[in-house]
């Protein structure tokens, strides 16, 4: 039985580690996972992390308050660089969300059993990431108190409506739909586990709470049957959805005339990048989690390896996209596209571009090696690097393209301010806070699906 | 580079300048040999200096602290409030008591919401600029030129445009002080009366007056009365930017003072000897000169064009428009003038010239000889008297007198040479001969020649009285200070540059307890009974004077018409028949070629410092350097390279740039200045701009720029030799620059061709602008190439379709349109920090491009307002439909619908949109509202804004036309930028109407669209610039272009 | 003996295999009103009691259609009929620009239909249900497999049904009171 701080033993060459540790039964699976939630003893590290996050969250609120009080001028944005950190962070966070949906939906459709033990918190990660992302488009507007509802098709006295040709409106619909669907998907996944918590709760209060959340689930065959159908259909819906969301986000740029934005291959490029950073984030969460809660039997090296492989694959697509970006710029022989390429390579922000290449293309190549893929801490480091790189990618796209467009006299620089930074870091705090609260009160691993993974779960003829 | 500079050249002692200038040769050669991109990218590249290191350190520069730090915040709030005062507002909306007469066919009585226009004039630099002022409910809100007046023809300059803001400036002096303490006016009047009484006994011994140049006949008439009453009194004159050289030159040539009036419309060849007649109002008649000169470059009727040669020291917008610009050090202009004169048959011994100069002189001389009577030589206001005399002689020899130049009696009342005049005053003060000094306007303590020690001498004067619109450095040393009225607050008169007399009528009651200069002077003109007149009003004074001029019975009618029209009908001064003789031409001064020469110039936007507290002018970019809120010191790129100073580097599109500080020592006095490597600036010379660095400049002007007066001696008011320049090791000056990138980068925002090309292509019958500079890879798509529907079928653009055409050949980059737009559209001022952050708000910007060798580049100006694209990229990306298209083809901005995503600005390829990053507009100060245009929304925070083609003017015209059930007439609507433009570069109108001026313009073969390849179908289009080089002089670079 | 009416008889099994075998047996014995309760989805059990068909997919299809049509209709009405504006010279009915929103609306409609349709068909939320009265039923969500034959079934009789269930030798058989 796994315990806190247990060291992973790498299996001999050629043998793939199992997706669930040996010697587990229905009971042990249930108790181990439900135990995290039902235990009376809140772990010390949990209290420490949450305290830290609350502090950061406070700073975040201060910054946002000041922003609403003064205006977006406290940021580094200007003319020509009308979008800065806010949009960079928006794209970054929303991208991170994608891996969650991918794991829970697409891998489900592909019947990838190993997804089971990580899909629950991957979905939570999606929801929390989308929450962070959703903040920015609102905060970055000049008059958020109006944007908050003018962007939705609400009948107003003036009789004006949103302008549906604008990609920003597509964004509103895509992101809000994405959040809703992810939330539903996550929510119904939780129902049977709530029932389980209800039944194994030790105190009346806890039982009542989970009882309400479980909505009287009793595991009837008829219910399971409809439940499975709905779950599969949601997965089928979430799959095109997740692809559409980042495509739409990419259209925010592709629809414009700005050299460096105005390209047709942005949608696949962005989706690949999103999944890339998403898996990096899954690993950044899973590796400490399985270590701190001794979940090595449920989140095994197999899972880490598979995530590593997926990162490697998506990473290659991203690398190809970078190459194409440059190639098309050169191939177009358009003076503005050429200038854009030149600016990437030699412009005032070119060092950002080279760092991006390093983080997103060169370093991740190490994932070709099994030794990296199956050593959690190494994998963790690579994930951090990749997420840094993905943030840089968005910075390069947003800032470097705007900074020098058509009329040379209007070119300008962008310098971020401390308020930019406070709000960016603040969202990390907010995100981590939500995540830790989640693993304290909800089963971070889908219990009922874990059960069905056990050998004894099969019906023998 | 070699030895001397490896010592990092932080200290260049005078001795070392020589080797440095040897170094110059190599740099110069490198610069001239520089091949590569046709448009030179960066001075840096040419001088190959590595910039990457700098770039890294510039990435997050030390001064990129955000705007909210307390200091700058305070500063910003000040600016927001700058312009108006709380005091005395009750008076603002009261109608003046004297009867003033509305302008043509405007209603006599007030109709709320309907502006009334009055004719008046603005006194400036010894003459007046005739104006028509728009008033709303008797609050002046906007000034325009007087279209009936020959000195304006409807145009104005940026000083006139901005003067309206001075009227409402909260920092104006608003109460009488004695030794700095507030006192009632009565007390001051008593004190002065007793002084007058005392002076009466002594015939006014020791009574001195100090004013600037005055063109007001009433003032002259009063002054005579004063001198009758006090025979011993004296009237001294001092303007820091004065016409001493012109006066002395005139004396030299004619033996008397005459003003030259140039008629450039008749000139086929114009030669400027350092004359910046296209740059600003300190050149008398600038507005008219610019119009006349550019009339000769329209290429609308025929294909002929005048030719401009400029021999210039400090780069000016005039040099920028030259077909051939000869870069000279200030002292060399004299020898070039002599050589030229010798060639055109004036007896003058030529100075020694180098090869280039000789070549230039020969060609110019030949051209002049070919155009006898149809050419003109214009001497620079800042050049030596000899140059003026030579120019007069040349014009005489070439038979231009009467054709392209006329000489009239000076429009200035009792002209004197100011340098001399103030010297006498200071000598007398030191000799204790001055008992009472009355300073009417001006700020001599700040701007008198530094070597005279005016300030110390002042201490020896018993009674010192000042009448001034601001409490300034001089005020500190005064016994009595009396606030002076703004010119729109009181009656006066004056002469335009051509002698036409104007009556200045007030637009508003005095905001503060001020006195008009005439009313104040009246104290010193005892009436018949001998008692000083303290209560007399300027209206009565001015009218009384004019009665003496028109003793006829119909005076009332005459007065009404004069005041109504704004000027005395055909009162232009008669031309004098004068003959220039050059008997006593002083010998040419031999200047040491290696000595560093200093040139003092008025600042392009705040003039001699009198506009330093004007936020509009402070934030208006200087035409050539594009910096705001400071004055720079111009040096040549080659010198900067020698000193290892970073250049204007494209690696950092700096809105905000830390420039190393130079310490300039001249005649033992020092000043620290931020250097600016100005392409086309002569080597071994430095240009300092006057007016900045004032110690008591109010909330806007304080702490801006450096004080060039600190090193400006009386003997070298404009040109001096023998300065030493030390590059400070680590001191930096943060400039605020609105344009960081001066090369076109292989793009074609500005299209240019020589006259030859133009003619040939025009004969080919194709639109030549699309193929100037040969191939145009991205070209304008044809009509069928658009996937979009033609909205004309949908009822759009049927009745009116507004459009604009901007003639790049005519634009002289004077910035008047930018200020006019700011005044018309209530555009906020944002302050230096915000400009450094790239958040300036002016709706129309005048881009400056440099092409060719940095040593002597071609310069092009391009005004860029909103293009009002038919397929506007900004519109589809707005999520709330806050920017949409009107049925007349305007790209409307709906402020109260805008949520501020800024996507429209990102997607605007012309970057003409401006965003309210903070609450830039001041909603608190009630007085601020006084000066605002009530027809234009004041934008709030978080809202995008941009040029609207002055939609409020369009709407007014539409209402008027619909009331009369007619179409809007062509020319009925003038946008603010069009109305102010001295050169008629901007034309606006209905492009549906084939006969409209704008349609005709758009049919020109020079017409082209900016970024046509994007298929935005802009309504604002440009006419390509055409140069008219002399084949004999065509430089290598121009030849290369042709090839 | 007379007893209070009961909901049904509940048999508890150790393994899914036993449960499925029992369910099949009961089904073959002609029982219809019965249900199995398992800690994880067990398709075999659903098949055994003949409950492997449902109408969720149909509901989702309807939801998708409504979302799609609604989305596009809104865009068309707003941009062409209610408040047409000339935006950058693009046609009022710029259908390509309307596709993304239409798609998102379709997905949203379908997803909502899936979740709430499923819950509705399952009659959830349902605060009370008799099966929870069976003492050991808490383990139904943990590690035990239950088969419950309901008293509503015409063939139901406490004694016979109990006999039948015993024939599948479950760990325990309990009467489930209402």
């Amino acid at each position: 039985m796994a315990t806190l701080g247990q060291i992973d033993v790498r299996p001999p060459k050629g043998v793939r580690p199992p997706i669930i540790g040996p010697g587990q039964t229905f009971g042990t699976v249930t108790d181990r996972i439900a135990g995290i939630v039902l235990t009376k003893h809140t772990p010390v590290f949990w209290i420490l992390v949450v305290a830290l996050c609350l502090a950061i969250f406070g700073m975040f609120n201060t910054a946002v308050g000041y922003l609403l009080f003064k205006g977006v001028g406290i940021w580094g944005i200007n003319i020509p660089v009308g979008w800065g950190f806010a949009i960079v962070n928006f794209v970054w966070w929303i991208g991170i969300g994608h891996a969650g949906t991918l794991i829970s939906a697409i891998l489900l459709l592909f019947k990838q059993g190993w997804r089971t033990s990580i899909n629950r918190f991957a979905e939570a990660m999606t929801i929390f990431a989308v929450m962070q992302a959703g903040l920015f488009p609102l905060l970055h507007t000049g008059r958020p108190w109006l944007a908050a509802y003018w962007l939705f098709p609400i009948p107003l006295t003036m009789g004006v409506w949103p302008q549906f040709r604008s990609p920003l409106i597509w964004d509103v619909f895509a992101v809000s739909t994405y959040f809703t669907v992810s939330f539903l998907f996550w929510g119904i996944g939780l129902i049977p586990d709530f029932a389980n918590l209800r039944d194994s709760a030790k105190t009346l209060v806890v039982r009542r709470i989970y009882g309400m959340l479980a909505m009287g689930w009793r595991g009837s065959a008829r219910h399971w049957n409809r439940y499975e159908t709905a779950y599969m259909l949601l997965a089928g819906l979430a799959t095109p959805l997740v692809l559409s969301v980042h495509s739409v986000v990419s259209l925010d740029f592709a629809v414009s005339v700005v050299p460096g934005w105005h390209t047709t291959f942005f949608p696949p490029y962005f989706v690949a990048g999103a999944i890339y950073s998403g898996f990096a984030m899954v690993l950044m969460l899973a590796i400490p989690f399985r270590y701190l809660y001794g979940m090595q039997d449920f989140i095994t090296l197999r899972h880490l390896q598979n995530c590593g492989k997926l990162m490697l694959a998506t990473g290659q697509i991203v690398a190809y996209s970078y190459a194409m970006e440059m190639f098309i710029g050169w191939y177009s022989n358009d003076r503005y596209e050429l200038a854009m390429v030149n600016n990437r390579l030699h412009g005032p922000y070119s060092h950002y571009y080279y760092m991006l290449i390093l983080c997103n293309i060169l370093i991740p190549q190490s994932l070709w090696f099994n030794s990296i893929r199956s050593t959690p801490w190494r994998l963790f480091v690579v994930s951090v690097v990749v997420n840094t790189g993905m943030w840089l990618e968005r910075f390069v796209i947003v800032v470097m393209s705007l900074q020098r467009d058509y009329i040379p006299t209007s070119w300008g620089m962008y310098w971020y301010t401390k308020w930019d930074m406070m709000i960016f870091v603040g969202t990390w705090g907010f995100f981590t806070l939500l995540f830790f609260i989640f693993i304290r009160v909800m089963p971070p691993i889908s219990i009922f699906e874990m059960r069905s993974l056990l050998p004894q779960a099969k019906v023998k003829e | 580079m070699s030895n001397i500079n490896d010592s990092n050249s932080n200290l260049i002692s005078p001795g070392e300048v020589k080797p440095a200038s040897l170094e110059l040769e190599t740099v110069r050669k490198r610069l001239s040999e520089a091949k590569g991109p046709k448009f030179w990218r960066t001075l840096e590249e040419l001088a190959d200096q590595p910039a990457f290191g700098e770039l890294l350190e510039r990435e997050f520069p030390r001064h990129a602290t955000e705007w909210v730090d307390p200091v700058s915040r305070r500063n910003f709030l000040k600016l927001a409030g700058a312009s108006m005062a709380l005091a005395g507002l009750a008076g603002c909306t009261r109608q003046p008591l004297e009867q003033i007469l509305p302008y043509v066919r405007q209603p006599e009585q007030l109709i709320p919401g309907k502006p009334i226009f009055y004719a008046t004039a603005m006194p400036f630099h010894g003459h007046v600029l005739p104006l028509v002022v728009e008033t709303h409910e008797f609050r002046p809100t906007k000034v325009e030129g007087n279209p009936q007046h020959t000195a304006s023809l409807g145009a104005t300059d940026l000083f006139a445009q901005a003067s309206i803001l001075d009227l409402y400036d909260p920092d104006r002096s608003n109460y009488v002080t004695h030794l700095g303490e507030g006192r009632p006016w009565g007390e001051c009047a008593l004190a002065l009366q007793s002084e007058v009484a005392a002076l009466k006994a002594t015939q006014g011994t020791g009574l001195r007056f100090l004013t600037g140049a005055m063109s007001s006949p009433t003032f002259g008439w009063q002054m005579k009365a004063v001198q009758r009453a006090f025979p011993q009194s004296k009237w001294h004159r001092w303007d820091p930017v004065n016409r001493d050289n012109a006066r002395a030159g005139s004396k030299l040539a004619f033996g008397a003072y005459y003003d030259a009036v140039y008629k450039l419309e008749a000139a086929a060849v114009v030669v400027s000897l350092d004359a910046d007649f296209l740059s600003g109002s300190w050149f008398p008649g600038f507005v008219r000169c610019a119009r006349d000169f550019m009339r000769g470059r329209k290429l609308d009727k025929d294909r002929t064009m005048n030719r401009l040669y400029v021999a210039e020291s400090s780069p000016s917008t005039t040099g920028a428009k030259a077909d051939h610009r000869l870069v000279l050090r200030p002292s060399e202009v004299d020898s070039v003038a002599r050589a030229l004169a010798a060639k055109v048959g004036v007896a003058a011994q030529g100075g020694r010239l180098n090869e280039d100069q000789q070549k230039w002189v020969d060609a110019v001389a030949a051209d002049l000889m070919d155009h006898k009577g149809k050419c003109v030589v214009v001497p620079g206001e800042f050049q030596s008297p000899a140059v003026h005399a030579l120019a007069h002689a040349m014009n005489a020899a070439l038979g231009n007198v009467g054709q392209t130049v006329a000489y009239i009696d000076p429009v200035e009342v009792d002209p004197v040479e100011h340098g001399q005049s103030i010297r006498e005053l200071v000598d007398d003060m030191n000799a204790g001969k001055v008992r009472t000094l009355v300073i009417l306007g001006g700020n001599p303590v700040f701007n008198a020649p530094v070597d005279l020690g005016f300030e110390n001498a002042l201490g020896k004067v018993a009674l010192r009285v000042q009448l001034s619109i601001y409490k300034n450095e001089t005020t500190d040393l005064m016994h009595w200070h009396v606030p002076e009225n703004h010119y729109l607050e009181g009656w006066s008169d004056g002469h335009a540059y051509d002698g036409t007399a104007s009556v200045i009528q007030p637009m508003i009651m005095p905001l503060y307890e001020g006195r008009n200069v005439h009313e104040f002077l009246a104290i010193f003109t005892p009436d018949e009974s001998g008692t000083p007149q303290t209560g007399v009003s300027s209206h009565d004074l001015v009218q009384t004077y004019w009665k003496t001029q028109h003793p006829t019975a119909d005076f009332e009618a005459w007065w009404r018409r004069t005041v109504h029209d704004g000027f005395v009908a055909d009162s232009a001064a008669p031309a004098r028949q004068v003959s220039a003789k050059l008997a006593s031409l002083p010998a040419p001064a031999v200047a040491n070629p290696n000595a560093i020469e200093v040139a003092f110039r008025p600042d392009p936007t705040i003039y001699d410092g009198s506009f330093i507290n004007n936020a509009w002018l402070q934030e208006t970019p200087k035409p050539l350097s594009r910096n705001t809120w400071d004055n720079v010191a111009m040096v040549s790129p080659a010198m900067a390279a020698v000193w290892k100073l970073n250049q204007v580097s494209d690696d950092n599109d700096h809105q905000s740039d830390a420039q190393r500080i130079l310490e300039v020592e001249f005649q033992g006095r020092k000043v620290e200045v931020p250097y600016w490597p100005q392409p086309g600036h002569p080597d071994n010379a430095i240009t300092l701009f006057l007016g900045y660095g004032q110690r008591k400049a109010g909330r806007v002007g304080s702490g801006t720029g450096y004080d060039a007066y600190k090193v400006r001696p009386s003997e070298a008011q404009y040109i001096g030799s023998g300065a030493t320049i030390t590059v400070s090791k680590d001191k930096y000056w943060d400039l605020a620059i609105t344009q960081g990138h001066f090369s076109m980068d292989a793009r074609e925002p500005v299209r240019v061709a020589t006259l030859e090309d133009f003619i040939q292509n025009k004969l080919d019958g194709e639109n030549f602008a699309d193929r100037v500079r040969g191939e145009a890879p991205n070209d304008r798509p044809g009509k069928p190439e658009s996937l979009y529907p033609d909205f004309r079928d949908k009822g759009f653009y049927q009745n009116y379709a507004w459009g604009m055409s901007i003639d790049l050949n005519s634009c002289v980059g004077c910035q008047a349109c930018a200020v006019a737009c700011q005044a018309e559209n209530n555009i906020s001022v944002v302050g230096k920090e915000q400009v450094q952050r790239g958040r300036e708000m002016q709706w129309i910007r005048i881009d400056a491009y440099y092409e060719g060798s940095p040593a002597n580049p071609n310069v092009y100006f391009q005004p860029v307002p909103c293009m009002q694209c038919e397929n506007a990229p900004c519109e589809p990306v707005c999520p709330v439909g806050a920017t949409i298209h009107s049925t007349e083809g305007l790209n409307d901005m709906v402020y109260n619908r805008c949520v501020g995503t800024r996507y429209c600005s990102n997607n605007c390829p012309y970057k003409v949109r401006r965003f309210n990053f903070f609450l830039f507009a001041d909603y608190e100060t009630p007085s601020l509202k006084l000066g605002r245009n009530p027809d234009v929304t004041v934008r709030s925070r978080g809202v995008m804004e941009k040029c609207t083609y002055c939609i409020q003017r369009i709407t007014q015209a539409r209402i008027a036309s619909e009331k009369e059930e007619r179409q809007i007439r062509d020319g009925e609507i003038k946008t603010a930028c069009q109305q102010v433009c001295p050169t008629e570069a901007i034309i606006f109108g209905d492009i549906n109407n084939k006969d409209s001026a704008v349609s005709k313009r758009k049919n020109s073969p020079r017409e082209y669209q900016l970024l046509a390849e994007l298929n935005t179908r802009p309504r604002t289009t440009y006419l390509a610039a055409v140069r008219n080089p002399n084949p004999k002089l065509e430089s290598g670079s121009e030849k290369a272009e042709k090839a | 003996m007379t007893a209070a009416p009961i909901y049904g008889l509940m048999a508890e099994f150790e393994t899914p295999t036993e449960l499925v075998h029992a369910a099949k047996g009961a089904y073959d014995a002609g029982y219809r009103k019965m249900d199995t309760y398992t800690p994880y989805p067990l398709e075999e059990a659903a098949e055994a009691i003949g409950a492997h068909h449902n109408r969720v997919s149909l509901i989702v299809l309807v939801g998708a259609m409504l979302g799609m049509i609604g989305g596009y209709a809104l865009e068309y009405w707003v941009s062409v009929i209610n408040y047409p504006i000339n935006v950058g010279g693009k046609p009022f009915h710029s259908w390509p620009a309307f596709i993304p929103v239409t798609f998102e609306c379709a997905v949203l409609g379908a997803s909502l239909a899936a979740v709430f349709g499923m819950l509705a068909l399952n009659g959830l939320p349902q605060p009370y249900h008799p099966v929870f009265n069976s003492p050991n039923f808490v383990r139904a969500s943990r590690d035990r497999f239950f088969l419950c034959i309901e008293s509503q079934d015409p063939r139901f009789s406490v004694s016979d049904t109990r006999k039948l269930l015993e024939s599948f030798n479950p760990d325990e058989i309990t009467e489930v009171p209402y």
Side-chain angles (χ1 to χ4, degrees), chain B residues 954-973:
Chain B
I954 297 175
T955 313
Q956 278 161 354
R958 191 189 297 109
I959 293 169
S961 69
E962 284 170 0
K963 272 194 293 189
E964 300 165 22
E965 292 176 335
R966 58 169 174 84
Q967 282 289 86
I968 298 177
R969 296 186 204 91
D970 184 37
E972 191 174 347
I973 306 170

Side-chain angles (χ1 to χ4, degrees), chain A residues 252 336 349 404-406 415, chain B residues 59 650 747 902-903 1013:
Chain A
D252 290 349
Y336 307 109
Y349 290 105
R404 293 184 168 181
D405 63 349
Y406 287 96
W415 297 296
Chain B
E59 190 58 34
D650 288 4
R747 304 168 182 208
R902 301 180 298 288
Y903 197 172
E1013 60 266 39

Side-chain angles (χ1 to χ4, degrees), chain B residues 287-301:
Chain B
V287 172
R288 183 65 194 270
C289 286
R291 169 155 311 192
D292 289 351
F293 177 75
M294 285 308 173
R295 282 267 169 91
R297 295 174 88 85
K298 292 290 179 195
L299 291 167
D300 41 13
K301 293 168 209 62

Side-chain angles (χ1 to χ4, degrees), chain A residues 66-84 86-87 137 139-148 150-152 156 158 160-169 172 251-259 261 333-337 339-340 342-343 346-352 395 402-419, chain B residues 41 52 55-56 58-61 63-68 73 650-656 738-749 751 775-778 834 836-840 845 847-849 862 864 873 875-881 884 894-903 905-911 913-919 940-944 1010-1011 1013-1014:
Chain A
Y66 192 63
L67 175 75
L68 297 177
F69 177 65
K70 290 292 315 169
V72 288
I74 65 172
W75 289 346
I77 46 176
N78 57 29
I79 309 287
V81 186
W83 288 352
I87 298 301
L139 290 179
H140 101 290
T141 60
R143 304 200 290 178
W145 53 92
L146 296 176
W150 279 3
L151 288 172
F152 295 92
L156 299 172
M158 283 197 244
V160 282
W161 297 92
Q163 203 277 96
F164 284 104
R165 297 170 194 80
S166 166
L168 296 186
I169 285 295
V172 172
L251 292 179
D252 290 349
F253 304 101
V255 162
S256 80
V257 300
V258 180
W261 287 8
N333 192 30
D334 174 287
R335 60 175 78 157
Y336 307 109
E337 290 293 324
M340 181 275 291
N342 181 54
N343 192 37
H346 309 298
Y349 290 105
S350 51
H351 50 293
Y352 280 78
F395 184 89
L402 284 175
Q403 177 230 343
R404 293 184 168 181
D405 63 349
Y406 287 96
I407 304 285
T409 55
S410 306
W411 294 359
M413 297 293 285
Y414 170 78
W415 297 296
Y416 69 80
T417 66
K418 65 167 179 273
W419 300 103
Chain B
R41 280 177 169 286
F52 194 68
L55 166 159
L56 285 176
R58 293 258 204 82
E59 190 58 34
F60 306 108
H63 47 273
T65 67
E66 76 273 25
W67 162 83
V68 291
R73 194 237 236 88
D650 288 4
D651 287 324
N652 176 343
D653 306 311
H654 45 172
Q655 296 97 346
S656 110
T738 60
Q739 174 184 341
H741 197 101
F742 292 88
S743 80
M744 294 198 224
D745 250 48
R747 304 168 182 208
E748 298 178 296
R751 304 204 168 171
E775 96 300 335
N778 311 341
Q834 292 299 296
Q836 287 177 324
R837 286 202 157 281
R839 296 167 179 177
E840 62 272 10
R845 62 171 201 267
D847 291 341
Y849 293 100
Q862 182 172 43
V864 186
E875 291 175 1
V877 298
C878 175
V880 291
I884 59 177
V894 189
Y895 298 131
N896 53 0
R897 176 67 173 169
C898 177
V899 297
T901 66
R902 301 180 298 288
Y903 197 172
S905 169
N906 291 347
N907 209 33
C908 173
Y910 310 97
K911 287 289 172 285
R913 291 177 156 262
R914 303 283 177 262
F915 187 66
N916 290 274
F917 286 90
F918 293 106
L919 186 59
S940 98
R941 160 193 149 195
V943 172
M944 191 62 72
L1010 189 53
L1011 300 178
E1013 60 266 39
L1014 297 179

